[in-house]
Amino acid sequence: MRILGFMTGTSLDAVDMAILETDGEVLTDFGPAGEEPLSDPLRALLRDAIRTALDHPRDAPDPPVFAAASRAVAEVHLSAGTAFLASCGLDWSDLDLVGMHGQTVLHERPSAGRKGRTLQLGDGAWLARATGVPVVFDFRTADVAAGGEGAPLAPVYHLARAAASGLTAPLAVLNIGGVANLTCWAGGDQITAFDTGPGNGLIDQVVTARGAGRFDVDGRLAAAGVISEPVLSRLMDHSWFSEPAPKSLDRYDFSPAPTDALSLEDAVATLTAFTAEAVASGFRLVGVEPSGLIVTGGGRRNPVLMAALADRLGCEVVTAESVGWRGDALEAEAFAFLAARCLRGLPISFPGTTGVRAPMTGGRLAQPG
């Protein structure tokens, strides 16, 4: 099948798109990839939805902002996808399937005998009607309903991508978006995956709050700052780091408040070190000493963060591109791949990745009719 995968991350930066030819097991071909930045009005609407979601009681009726944001997300997927396909000489009719992750506005992990909650906004049924192509969406809800964490979901694609590249176990892949998540593959079906802690999220929050842009471009602020070891120690003194894997985070589960008294540069330097130390803590938690690490996601563009990872892990740390992967498109590819698996009823989450009791499929399929 020729599938267009969409990903919109918690950084609220862009709609990522990638075309993949796959049956959900073997990757046959990699089509074009691209992105469409989100507009400021859409970012504002999504931030409003996120603020509302963080305080939204369980079992309460959905507030109007959810429906408005869900439709707006679908509309930007339509416009971005239409322009992207046209630039590739393609049309929606050239696709067999669409995989749309949607915009996460809430992710609450299970706790104290209570199931988690997860919400990705994006009107898949509307997008299917508008494009005339079946759409798989809402990938995480079934896993959460079954007692799983609902995240991360990309690990099964990491293994398929590794196979297509001729890579073998042991393999470690780190995605650094708003949250950082790690896939460790020891071989066979021995796979462990979990969120290690904040990725770019806290850094972005501080940079934005202090009026210095939306993120630390090329790690320049971190490079100009000095790490506060007392603040770093305080950040690491969190129960999250002693909890067993698999486990997942919401971008807002951690706060940058401990850095409030620091200068902007020192705050960003300290939070950058925090992201790297959280990854190192994750490896210690699962008892893995990595021989190397492949980094994907926006964080790979930050040389200060990449150097911090190499220093704290004591191994080679490389970007996705160095092994022939498309770092900006990997998650969009993943949701194209997961869409194919959902369509065929193949599992997308596993005991070692989300903590669900048994491998299970997920997603909802919207037909254009």
Side-chain angles (χ1 to χ4, degrees), residues 244-315:
K247 52 186 178 177
S248 64
L249 281 173
D250 185 88
R251 174 174 171 154
Y252 298 97
D253 284 344
F254 282 78
S255 169
T259 67
D260 284 352
L262 301 178
S263 69
L264 172 61
E265 292 81 3
D266 290 356
V268 173
T270 302
L271 290 172
T272 301
F274 178 42
T275 294
E277 182 57 30
V279 174
S281 175
F283 274 111
R284 292 193 294 269
L285 179 71
V286 296
V288 173
E289 293 186 11
S291 56
L293 180 65
I294 301 168
V295 182
T296 185
R300 79 190 193 288
R301 297 188 182 279
N302 184 330
V304 177
L305 178 53
M306 293 291 282
L309 287 167
D311 179 60
R312 292 172 189 270
L313 296 176
C315 70

Side-chain angles (χ1 to χ4, degrees), residues 160-203:
R161 191 66 185 87
S165 302
L167 302 178
T168 57
L171 181 76
V173 181
L174 177 69
N175 175 66
I176 308 177
V179 169
N181 54 75
L182 180 66
T183 299
C184 295
W185 178 44
D189 59 359
Q190 299 180 64
I191 181 171
T192 301
F194 57 100
D195 290 345
T196 59
N200 303 314
L202 293 184
I203 299 168

Side-chain angles (χ1 to χ4, degrees), residues 275-360:
T275 294
E277 182 57 30
V279 174
S281 175
F283 274 111
R284 292 193 294 269
L285 179 71
V286 296
V288 173
E289 293 186 11
S291 56
L293 180 65
I294 301 168
V295 182
T296 185
R300 79 190 193 288
R301 297 188 182 279
N302 184 330
V304 177
L305 178 53
M306 293 291 282
L309 287 167
D311 179 60
R312 292 172 189 270
L313 296 176
C315 70
E316 184 181 25
V317 176
V318 301
T319 65
E321 285 77 9
S322 71
V323 294
W325 298 3
R326 301 185 294 190
D328 286 329
L330 200 70
E331 285 201 296
E333 292 174 7
F335 282 94
F337 181 75
L338 292 174
R341 292 184 69 84
C342 292
L343 187 67
R344 296 184 58 203
L346 298 172
I348 63 172
S349 59
F350 306 83
T353 63
T354 68
V356 72
R357 290 180 181 272
M360 65 176 295

Side-chain angles (χ1 to χ4, degrees), residues 45-303:
L45 175 61
L46 292 174
R47 290 192 184 102
D48 186 19
I50 290 168
R51 285 191 294 269
T52 303
L54 290 172
D55 295 323
H56 186 55
R58 287 172 179 260
D59 303 320
D62 285 351
V65 70
F66 286 2
S70 188
R71 177 63 176 269
V73 168
E75 289 175 347
V76 76
H77 279 64
L78 175 65
S79 61
T82 299
F84 169 65
L85 290 169
S87 72
C88 303
L90 297 171
D91 192 72
W92 291 102
S93 61
D94 294 308
L95 302 175
D96 299 300
L97 190 64
V98 168
M100 179 181 68
H101 175 269
Q103 182 63 57
T104 297
V105 296
L106 175 69
H107 188 80
E108 185 178 288
R109 68 187 307 252
S111 63
R114 187 174 65 174
K115 290 181 179 178
R117 291 192 295 170
T118 192
L119 179 60
Q120 287 73 46
L121 297 180
D123 191 335
W126 183 91
L127 186 63
R129 292 192 300 270
T131 62
V133 183
V135 175
V136 179
F137 67 110
D138 192 17
F139 288 87
R140 303 183 189 275
T141 299
D143 182 86
V144 170
E149 297 272 342
L153 293 183
V156 68
Y157 180 67
H158 292 159
L159 267 60
R161 191 66 185 87
S165 302
L167 302 178
T168 57
L171 181 76
V173 181
L174 177 69
N175 175 66
I176 308 177
V179 169
N181 54 75
L182 180 66
T183 299
C184 295
W185 178 44
D189 59 359
Q190 299 180 64
I191 181 171
T192 301
F194 57 100
D195 290 345
T196 59
N200 303 314
L202 293 184
I203 299 168
D204 294 352
Q205 278 181 253
V206 168
V207 172
T208 301
R210 301 201 192 186
R214 289 182 34 244
F215 61 98
D216 183 14
V217 179
D218 297 328
R220 294 170 192 164
L221 293 171
V226 176
I227 298 167
S228 169
E229 293 296 340
V231 171
L232 177 58
S233 178
R234 182 179 168 190
L235 288 164
M236 289 298 302
D237 186 23
H238 193 291
S239 61
W240 168 260
F241 297 109
S242 61
E243 294 183 25
K247 52 186 178 177
S248 64
L249 281 173
D250 185 88
R251 174 174 171 154
Y252 298 97
D253 284 344
F254 282 78
S255 169
T259 67
D260 284 352
L262 301 178
S263 69
L264 172 61
E265 292 81 3
D266 290 356
V268 173
T270 302
L271 290 172
T272 301
F274 178 42
T275 294
E277 182 57 30
V279 174
S281 175
F283 274 111
R284 292 193 294 269
L285 179 71
V286 296
V288 173
E289 293 186 11
S291 56
L293 180 65
I294 301 168
V295 182
T296 185
R300 79 190 193 288
R301 297 188 182 279
N302 184 330

